Amino acid sequence: MKLNDWKRTLRNLGYPELPRAERRPPSGLAAMYGSASAPKLGHIKDISSTGIYLQTEERWRIGEVISMTLQREAPSECLSQLQINVQARVATHGEDGVGLAFVLPTDLDSTLWEALVDHADAQPETEHIAYLFRLVRTILFLSRLCPSGAQEAIQSLGNELDASRTRSAMKIALRAEELLAEQPDAGLMHAHPRIVASILREASWSNDDLLNQLWAGLLASTCAVEETDESYHAFAELLVQISAAQARIFVAGCRRAREMMSELEKAPSGQIIITPEEMTKITGTSDFFRNAAEISSLFHLGLLEKVVNLTSYIPKDTINITPSHLGLELYGRCRGHALSGSRNSL
């Protein structure tokens, strides 16, 4: 995307072009580096669009590339959401720290990066600034995920997609980034650019938090260290047809089925049976026929084993929401099942 395209995109999304800030030592901006289990906090003495001077006792070798997170300084219990993951190459050693040059992907427009650096420590933390952080963080993640070229996925943000769909796509991408970050080989995992772009386009129609979690898990499960998983097509085609209410029924049934499997250490032999009252808690409506219609849709998609009989006008005392083998496989994908030790909350 060209420079003027990004400026127009930000304006169209309701975020006018920000005035360029004067270069100065950042106030309240820090860098986290080191292992994910024991990160270290370093004070940024000076920052520009090309690099930073980090006050630290570390003396990495010249030319070494360091992964770090730039974020607002805050107590550990209330860390700001304004943070960005970036790589930087060691350029110089100083008495109290090191000078690092940012290593940015070619997919990241310099206009966005300069705007982010110029306003990274702006006060107060406005939604304009928060949106810019999320946008740049999303682009950096997509570029790392698709080193062979993430242009298609990136250009859809704010271009092919409107403001609402762009926000949904960013939320899903960043959730997938969190899932991948839990993996020991996260930095080596990649996905096919076409797959990523396709998933984000389809997923961006959803504004439902649970559906967004399902899409994020599906995106994460397509990533691998070696060959990327291209079997996502069938699962994406299923997920795009599921409504918010159906997602709640589907997830409730699969959760219970997985609990039975963990207890028995094999496929559950029983059925997942719930009461109408439990169904009301799941979907938020006590309309039996509406809930039955949602179950019927899941059955016809092949995700549930049984369908509610709508030929009778008498509401049932119990409802069967046992997931099918296909349903459990889709659920596993949407929990990022290919990722060992994934802590997806689904």
Side-chain angles (χ1 to χ4, degrees):
M1 185 176 289
K2 298 178 181 179
L3 181 148
N4 289 334
D5 291 336
W6 278 120
K7 290 182 178 179
R8 182 169 58 254
T9 293
L10 291 173
R11 288 196 297 269
N12 290 342
L13 291 175
Y15 299 94
E17 183 179 353
L18 299 170
R20 185 176 180 80
E22 294 181 1
R23 298 303 178 91
R24 63 186 186 280
S27 174
L29 192 66
M32 299 291 293
Y33 59 90
S35 65
S37 59
K40 297 180 179 179
L41 181 66
H43 175 69
I44 300 175
K45 185 176 182 179
D46 184 71
I47 188 170
S48 72
S49 61
T50 59
I52 63 173
Y53 186 88
L54 184 66
Q55 290 182 312
T56 174
E57 295 180 356
E58 301 284 351
R59 291 298 181 270
W60 301 289
R61 69 178 185 275
I62 301 296
E64 183 175 356
V65 175
I66 307 299
S67 296
M68 62 179 59
T69 299
L70 303 182
Q71 65 180 40
R72 303 265 189 160
E73 288 181 325
S76 57
E77 66 272 14
C78 59
L79 284 177
S80 171
Q81 293 302 307
L82 302 188
Q83 55 181 223
I84 202 89
N85 301 319
V86 67
Q87 291 187 320
R89 180 175 288 106
V90 179
T92 61
H93 290 161
E95 292 183 359
D96 59 347
V98 296
L100 302 109
F102 293 126
V103 180
L104 303 174
T106 57
D107 296 321
L108 176 60
D109 189 282
S110 60
T111 303
L112 294 178
W113 179 251
E114 290 172 3
L116 176 68
V117 171
D118 287 343
H119 299 274
D121 60 340
Q123 298 292 339
E125 296 183 358
T126 66
E127 177 55 26
H128 293 134
I129 301 300
Y131 180 88
L132 186 58
F133 264 86
R134 293 194 298 271
L135 177 59
V136 174
R137 180 173 175 175
T138 300
I139 293 173
L140 289 173
F141 168 61
L142 294 177
S143 296
R144 290 194 301 272
L145 197 61
C146 308
S148 59
Q151 295 91 341
E152 183 180 356
I154 292 172
Q155 289 178 1
S156 66
L157 301 176
N159 188 356
E160 176 184 341
L161 309 181
D162 61 20
S164 176
R165 291 182 65 193
T166 294
R167 291 188 183 91
S168 292
M170 289 164 53
K171 183 182 297 184
I172 291 163
L174 294 179
R175 175 55 182 155
E177 181 186 32
E178 292 175 359
L179 291 174
L180 292 174
E182 300 170 0
Q183 306 308 306
D185 52 359
L188 301 175
M189 301 186 78
H190 304 301
H192 194 288
R194 175 176 51 79
I195 294 176
V196 175
S198 178
I199 288 180
L200 290 182
R201 278 196 296 267
E202 295 292 350
S204 65
W205 289 105
S206 170
N207 289 316
D208 180 75
D209 287 341
L210 181 58
L211 276 172
N212 285 345
Q213 288 184 58
L214 293 171
W215 278 112
L218 182 60
L219 175 57
S221 71
T222 67
C223 304
V225 174
E226 296 178 354
E227 294 185 5
T228 56
D229 186 355
E230 296 197 37
S231 64
Y232 85 99
H233 292 284
F235 300 104
E237 289 175 1
L238 288 170
L239 193 53
V240 79
Q241 299 179 68
I242 297 177
S243 69
Q246 291 165 19
R248 284 161 176 72
I249 298 170
F250 171 67
V251 168
C254 289
R255 278 176 175 166
R256 297 198 185 190
R258 286 182 63 87
E259 289 172 0
M260 293 175 64
M261 282 189 284
S262 63
E263 293 173 1
L264 301 175
E265 296 184 354
K266 60 181 181 180
S269 58
Q271 301 288 298
I272 311 300
I273 307 298
I274 63 173
T275 65
E277 290 74 21
E278 289 176 301
M279 177 61 77
T280 296
K281 290 181 180 179
I282 292 171
T283 63
T285 177
S286 59
D287 186 332
F288 170 81
F289 294 101
R290 180 176 175 180
N291 288 332
E294 302 288 14
I295 292 175
S296 179
S297 295
L298 288 171
F299 170 77
H300 289 295
L301 286 173
L303 301 178
L304 295 185
E305 286 188 351
K306 303 291 183 179
V307 63
V308 174
N309 182 7
L310 292 175
T311 61
S312 172
Y313 288 95
I314 302 175
K316 309 297 180 183
D317 293 330
T318 58
I319 304 170
N320 191 327
I321 59 170
T322 305
S324 65
H325 176 76
L326 176 62
L328 288 172
E329 190 174 0
L330 172 62
Y331 181 68
R333 292 287 183 127
C334 292
R335 296 182 74 248
H337 85 301
L339 309 176
S340 61
S342 175
R343 295 195 296 259
N344 197 326
S345 60
L346 289 173

